[in-house]
Amino acid sequence: MKEIVLGILKGIKPECDFCGSDDFIKDEFLDSFDIMTLITDIETEFECVIDPMDVTADNFHSIDSICKLIDKSKQ
Amino acid sequence: MKTIFKGKRISAIYGILPETIRSFDDEMLDGRSQRNQKIKVNMGYGQRYRAKYDTTVSQLCIRGLEQLLNDNVVAKEEIGAIIVSTFTPDYFVPQVSNLIQGKMGLGKDVLTLDYWDGCSGFLTGIMHACMYLDHVDNRKVLLFTGDTMNRLQSSGEFDVYDEPKYGGDGASITIFEKTENESDQIPFVLYTEGKQRELIAHKMGGFYDIFHLNKSGRDRILEDPGSSFRFFQGVIPAVVSELMEYAKIDIGTVDGFSFIQANGLSGRKFADGLQLSYDKAPTYLVSKYGDLSATLNAFGIIESISNIQNENANKKEEYRIVMVGYGSGVKYGASLVNLRRDLPYGIIHTDL
C-alpha cells in the first residue's frame, strides 16, 4: 500500500521528496488542491470512500497517516 | 433563524455572464501537465467566465436589468426595492444598489441595500427580499448578486497562472413578489457562526491593514487544509434535513437542488452525503461557469429548471427547488422555493 500511495503522491507532485519529509503539510508539499486531488485518486485506487470529516492535516501529513486513513475508509 | 415566508414567491430569475470564457488548460502555465490535468479532473474544473478588466458589478447588473425591462419581464414602476449581494463592489460608496437606482432612473421611494455575505449572499438575499416585500406597496423586489473577482488576481483577462484560478465573474437578477396565495411559501433556515469566521477569509483591501495588503489566504489554508471543506460537509447537510423537517416536506419530493460548491469534488461529496442523484443536484456548476460565489445559487436554480424541463416526461406545474448557501461569516442555511413552470428564466450573455 505504501508504494502505491507514494506513486500517487509522486503523480501529483513529482518534484517533491516525500520519502525525505516528516510532514508533507508543514513542508508545503501538499496544499488544499493537492489534498483534494489525492482524495479522488485514493478513493479510485483503493475503492474506498473517505469521510469528509477525516480531511485533516493529521491524516495527510505522511505516507503512514495516509495508509491508516485508507484502512479506516475501507472498513 | 427558522421561518416560513408566506405569500411570497420568485417570479423570474436570470443569470448574466460576461463575454470571455477561459478554459483551465489555456489559463494554467502548464495546463496540460499531469499534475494540472489531475487537478482539473479531480476538482471538476473546466472553464470560467471572466469580465473585461474595466467591467464592474454594477455594469453587469444594469445590463441584465435593461434586458429584463426591454423584454417586459418587469417594468420600472413595479420595482419597490433593489438588493445587491457582492463582495467586489464598484466602490465602497456609493453602493452598487444606488448606482443601479441612479443610472436606471428609478424613483426615490425605491429601497436600496448592499450587503456582503459572499457565497451565502443569495440565501440571505431571499430573507432580505421577503422582508422588504411587506413594505414596498405590493411592488417587486429585485435581488442582484454579482462579482468581478478576477480583477483581484490580475489585470489581464488572458493572463496565464501557475496555480488554478476558479473564480468566475457573473451576476444574477431574481425577482420576488407578494401573492395573495398563502400557499406560496418559502421555508427558510439560516445560521451564523462568528467563531468560525476564519474558515472563509478574504482580508485584502480592508481598512484593518490597508497598507499591507495580503494578496493570498494560502497561509490559512496550509495551517489546516480541509477545515472549510469539513465544515461544509459536516454541518450543512443537517441544515437541509432540518429545513425539510421544519417545512414538513419529504426530500424525495424535491425536484432540484442548488447548493454552493467550491468545486466539483465538494459538490459531489455534498450530494453523496444527502444521497441525492446528480441529476437533481448539479455538481458541474463550477466546471461550467467558475465559482461565482453567491451567483452560483442562481445559476444552480437556472440549471435545475432547465434540466427538469428537458425531461420530456415531466409535466409538473411547479418545481420544488432547495437552495443551500454557505459563505462568509460563516453564514449557512437552506431554503425551498416553488417555481411555476412558466417562470421567466434564462441566461443573458453580454459583451462585458
Side-chain angles (χ1 to χ4, degrees), chain A residues 12-52:
Chain A
I12 295 170
K13 280 287 205 45
E15 69 275 20
C16 293
D17 177 16
F18 290 101
C19 294
S21 166
D22 291 329
D23 192 323
F24 303 156
I25 311 300
K26 284 199 176 127
D27 289 342
E28 299 187 15
F29 285 1
L30 298 178
D31 61 18
S32 55
F33 286 121
D34 298 319
I35 288 175
M36 294 300 158
T37 300
L38 190 54
I39 288 170
T40 307
D41 280 355
I42 286 172
E43 288 184 335
T44 303
E45 178 66 40
F46 294 100
E47 295 180 341
C48 62
V49 176
I50 292 178
D51 186 335

Side-chain angles (χ1 to χ4, degrees), chain A residues 8 10-15 25-26 28 30-41 43 49-57, chain B residues 34-35 38-43 45 163-166 218 221-227 229-235 263 265 268-269:
Chain A
I8 293 173
K10 294 296 270 183
I12 295 170
K13 280 287 205 45
E15 69 275 20
I25 311 300
K26 284 199 176 127
E28 299 187 15
L30 298 178
D31 61 18
S32 55
F33 286 121
D34 298 319
I35 288 175
M36 294 300 158
T37 300
L38 190 54
I39 288 170
T40 307
D41 280 355
E43 288 184 335
V49 176
I50 292 178
D51 186 335
M53 296 302 104
D54 288 331
V55 179
T56 64
Chain B
Q34 182 178 340
R35 181 205 180 219
K38 263 187 183 296
I39 288 176
K40 176 184 168 184
V41 169
N42 291 356
M43 298 286 273
Y45 294 141
E163 60 180 37
K165 302 297 180 194
Y166 47 88
R218 297 190 67 72
I221 292 171
L222 285 168
E223 283 166 18
D224 185 7
S227 53
F229 177 79
R230 284 197 307 278
F231 189 93
F232 180 60
Q233 305 292 345
V235 174
N263 49 64
L265 173 66
R268 289 192 298 276
K269 284 284 185 183

Side-chain angles (χ1 to χ4, degrees), chain B residues 332-344:
Chain B
Y332 57 94
S335 184
L336 183 149
V337 291
N338 294 299
L339 305 176
R340 297 192 187 154
R341 189 149 65 110
D342 59 356
L343 176 93

